[in-house]
Amino acid sequence: MNTNTPPVAPSLWRALLSPLRAHQSRLFSTLTAGIVAQCTTFTCMIIAGWICTLALSGSSPDTLWFFTAVLAFCVVLTALARWALAWLSHDLAFALIETLQMGIFDGIARATPGRSNQHRMGDVAATATSDAELMERFYAHMLVDYLTAFLMPGIALVILLFVSPWLCVIFLPCVLMIVVAPLFSARWAKKQGKAVAESKSVLNSHIAELAQGWRDIQMFGAEGRYSMTLQQANARLNNAQRKYGARNGLEQGLRDGLMALSLIALLVASLNSSHDAGLSLAWLPFILSIGAAAIVPLLEVLQVGGQWGALRASAERIFLLQQLPEQVHDGLASINPQGHRLQFNNVSFCYPQSDTPVLNNLSFTIEPGERVALTGMSGSGKTTLAYLLLRFYDPTSGTLSLDGTDLSAFSLKTLRQQIAWVSQESWLFNDTIENNIRLGRPDATFSQIEQAAKSACANEFICKLPQGYQTICTKGGENLSGGQRQRIALARALVSDAPVIILDEVSAGLDGENERLILAALESPPKTCTLIMIAHRIPMLKSAERILLLANGRIAAVGSFDALTAEGTSLSALLENSHTK
């Protein structure tokens, strides 16, 4: 059985904080602004309380005006610090989100296609966009606030200690209750946040599939059924969000209640101190302002922290994709092939999480410049051979070699520069035709792109388009015919100058004229270029010098088209007979 070790999830906090290493200067600036903003806000509140205390104690107007001026200065300073904090924290957050999204891309690229195909496209898209953007709340509104807000209670306790040690003793448990209370519902919040994230992911996947397959849905009159599916997914999401909101509201009420109780306890302790220790009642505004200044920052961060369940679920989904293991290990960049002889030696293969062999002790050789066709019934292992050549997977046993060197010895970049692949459904990106062809060779000049298009019999129809090579390929090339898309994909392979080209059912589903154009294009590569054609259609098979007939993961027959169809045996009958042997 071919299995891959599942990714090991790192500590969530370590994973959340790891992107900060690349943005230390931004983090330092944001922390500085956060500390200044918290300190100036704290100062404003206690100065306001001190002014009230001075007024009640009968201080002179000059003293009151002085502290009023100080308060005005602190208010301006607070506004500037808050503005700087908002700017710097969002600048840091968006830089970190970019890092997260590129990490998702790297994880998917590293695991393609083995593990990445286990995730629905809508789920991956939602994680890379919605989940990553949701992390803005953590990086912009929680991270710095959490690191700075807890300074204020400490400062408040020190001030209260000088005013009256008894007040400090009373206020400390109140602060601890406010801080510790959310921990009791943390597991509940995590469970509900995960349910919301999963429900949202399912809905996004349904919407993505609906958008892609809308024509088929309409053709079969399935709008009502898919509408019901979306309604059910929406209902599950709404139910999960209601439960999450109810818990969050309960936590908010608990926090507000604890704040009120804390201030009441501080007030009662102050009144007792005025009675027993001779503390003047004029100190009450100052003492209460100290308590409020300490608690308000805590409540602000804990209110944002009420969304921690959803943030944690999104973070876990992001890091699951980022930690996808390598499907294959990269080789050495220094090794380059001198020739292009391909050899399969006793190759067997099972797909991950399966113990059913797709290939069984397969051995054959393809010489440089040879035109070989692979044919056989569906599931016989033809496309799997292409996957192994491109090292999307490694064989379970046996070896594949290029110029006598095991494929695993080459770097993936070097190997894939030697082999170009044109699949049955090659994807055209939402870009110009020119840039879609240039994907095969980023440094290609326009004349090289045009020559590749001519070789692929695509230049004529491209030039007839209103924008020519600058025509945008929308929705994967939906604005082009199937034959036109295949010829652009073939031009992409030809411009790469790869010495080996794999054509995977490129003529399947095309009409006779487009198939004729594809066959004509196959005459353009130089004689030194190796063509491996995965095909069923007779014209494509006839163009091959040698045909390998696969059945049940083995080679059932080898020969030219004429040899395999000798004595009046049709190829379709030969395919069927080989599969039943």
Side-chain angles (χ1 to χ4, degrees):
M1 181 173 179
N2 189 4
T3 60
N4 285 35
T5 304
V8 177
S11 163
L12 184 61
W13 278 106
R14 187 170 73 249
L16 282 169
L17 298 179
S18 60
L20 291 170
R21 297 193 193 100
H23 305 280
Q24 292 182 7
S25 60
R26 281 190 173 104
L27 176 62
F28 177 78
S29 301
T30 306
L31 278 174
T32 302
I35 292 172
V36 172
Q38 292 286 5
C39 290
T40 53
T41 302
F42 182 88
T43 303
C44 286
M45 296 183 71
I46 64 171
I47 288 178
W50 180 243
I51 290 172
C52 293
T53 294
L54 291 175
L56 291 174
S57 62
S59 296
S60 66
D62 289 342
T63 302
L64 294 177
W65 277 115
F66 172 75
F67 281 103
T68 301
V70 173
L71 176 61
F73 174 76
C74 289
V75 167
V76 173
L77 190 60
T78 300
L80 292 174
R82 290 284 179 182
W83 168 76
L85 176 61
W87 172 34
L88 293 170
S89 63
H90 283 86
D91 180 57
L92 173 64
F94 294 137
L96 292 171
I97 288 170
E98 179 185 0
T99 301
L100 290 178
Q101 289 174 327
M102 293 309 298
I104 292 172
F105 171 80
D106 290 341
I108 294 172
R110 186 170 55 249
T112 298
R115 284 190 174 271
S116 61
N117 285 347
Q118 298 173 15
H119 300 268
R120 297 174 70 176
M121 186 187 70
D123 193 10
V124 173
T127 301
T129 54
S130 300
D131 287 340
E133 289 172 5
L134 188 62
M135 299 312 296
E136 181 266 345
R137 298 182 189 177
F138 172 77
Y139 289 120
H141 303 289
M142 287 180 64
L143 178 60
V144 174
D145 287 345
Y146 262 96
L147 294 175
T148 58
F150 291 95
L151 293 174
M152 301 306 106
I155 297 174
L157 288 169
V158 171
I159 297 175
L160 288 175
L161 182 63
F162 283 98
V163 174
S164 171
W166 173 243
L167 296 180
C168 184
V169 171
I170 293 296
F171 192 58
L172 177 59
C174 296
V175 172
L176 293 178
M177 280 194 301
I178 294 174
V179 173
V180 172
L183 299 179
F184 292 103
S185 61
R187 183 174 297 179
W188 191 12
K190 177 185 176 183
K191 181 179 178 181
Q192 290 184 336
K194 186 176 181 180
V196 170
E198 289 177 349
S199 299
K200 191 178 294 185
S201 170
V202 170
L203 179 60
N204 287 334
S205 294
H206 283 314
I207 292 174
E209 290 175 351
L210 178 67
Q212 284 187 310
W214 182 245
R215 286 184 300 183
D216 297 278
I217 292 171
Q218 285 183 314
M219 183 174 64
F220 291 101
E223 295 95 328
R225 280 174 285 164
Y226 262 81
S227 176
M228 183 64 67
T229 300
L230 287 179
Q231 288 177 7
Q232 292 172 349
N234 258 315
R236 286 192 292 270
L237 176 59
N238 290 337
N239 184 50
Q241 288 174 328
R242 278 195 297 270
K243 291 180 179 178
Y244 189 89
R247 178 202 49 77
N248 199 19
L250 182 63
E251 288 184 357
Q252 179 65 46
L254 178 62
R255 288 193 296 269
D256 292 343
L258 288 174
M259 176 183 179
L261 288 175
S262 299
L263 293 178
I264 291 172
L266 196 58
L267 176 61
V268 171
S270 299
L271 292 174
N272 286 334
S273 294
S274 68
H275 182 268
D276 299 332
L279 185 68
S280 173
L281 291 176
W283 282 81
L284 284 178
F286 181 62
I287 292 170
L288 292 177
S289 68
I290 293 173
I295 293 175
V296 167
L298 285 179
L299 289 180
E300 288 179 352
V301 297
L302 292 176
Q303 183 175 0
V304 178
Q307 303 171 1
W308 176 242
L311 292 174
R312 177 170 183 149
S314 294
E316 288 176 345
R317 283 155 50 86
I318 289 171
F319 298 130
L320 177 64
L321 289 180
Q322 287 187 338
Q323 297 297 320
L324 286 173
E326 287 183 335
Q327 187 65 41
V328 295
H329 295 292
D330 210 350
L332 300 175
S334 59
I335 300 178
N336 287 289
Q338 301 302 312
H340 302 99
R341 187 171 186 260
L342 293 168
Q343 188 169 16
F344 286 69
N345 185 24
N346 296 320
V347 170
S348 296
F349 178 73
C350 300
Y351 279 102
Q353 311 304 323
S354 172
D355 54 4
T356 303
V358 180
L359 301 175
N360 287 297
N361 295 320
L362 207 63
S363 296
F364 64 91
T365 300
I366 299 177
E367 300 295 341
E370 190 176 8
R371 294 193 171 202
V372 176
L374 304 176
T375 191
M377 300 291 285
S378 179
S380 59
K382 304 180 298 299
T383 300
T384 300
L385 286 175
Y387 288 166
L388 295 181
L389 283 171
L390 291 161
R391 286 202 72 209
F392 288 162
Y393 302 93
D394 280 334
T396 307
S397 63
T399 59
L400 283 80
S401 62
L402 174 63
D403 189 34
T405 303
D406 194 297
L407 295 188
S408 61
F410 300 105
S411 70
L412 293 175
K413 180 179 180 181
T414 298
L415 176 64
R416 292 168 187 173
Q417 286 174 342
Q418 311 303 312
I419 303 174
W421 181 38
V422 183
S423 71
Q424 184 176 350
E425 297 179 354
S426 293
W427 185 260
L428 298 186
F429 294 89
N430 189 41
D431 203 341
T432 63
I433 290 177
E434 177 183 346
N435 286 338
N436 267 283
I437 296 175
R438 186 176 274 116
L439 181 67
R441 185 177 173 184
D443 61 347
T445 63
F446 179 76
S447 61
Q448 290 171 325
I449 290 171
E450 188 177 36
Q451 182 56 49
K454 289 178 180 178
S455 299
C457 298
N459 181 68
E460 183 178 352
F461 87 79
I462 293 174
C463 291
K464 289 181 180 178
L465 296 172
Q467 282 80 40
Y469 281 84
Q470 301 309 308
T471 301
I472 300 294
C473 301
T474 59
K475 297 181 180 179
E478 195 177 56
N479 55 332
L480 302 171
S481 70
Q484 290 172 337
R485 290 195 296 270
Q486 286 298 75
R487 281 179 274 159
I488 290 175
L490 181 56
R492 178 191 290 170
L494 293 175
V495 80
S496 70
D497 279 341
V500 179
I501 297 178
I502 301 174
L503 307 172
D504 189 355
E505 298 284 11
V506 292
S507 65
L510 301 183
D511 57 30
E513 176 60 19
N514 275 301
E515 185 176 42
R516 183 189 65 79
L517 291 171
I518 292 290
L519 288 170
L522 296 183
E523 299 300 323
S524 60
K527 297 302 181 181
T528 55
C529 178
T530 302
L531 285 181
I532 302 174
M533 300 174 286
I534 300 171
H536 283 105
R537 295 173 69 111
I538 290 177
M540 189 70 71
L541 296 174
K542 283 184 174 180
S543 68
E545 300 168 359
R546 182 164 57 116
I547 299 173
L548 304 181
L549 179 61
L550 299 181
N552 300 317
R554 301 177 184 275
I555 297 178
V558 181
S560 65
F561 181 85
D562 292 337
L564 292 179
T565 55
E567 301 178 358
T569 304
S570 69
L571 184 62
S572 60
L574 188 61
L575 291 173
E576 185 174 353
N577 290 337
S578 66
H579 190 65
T580 57
K581 287 181 181 179

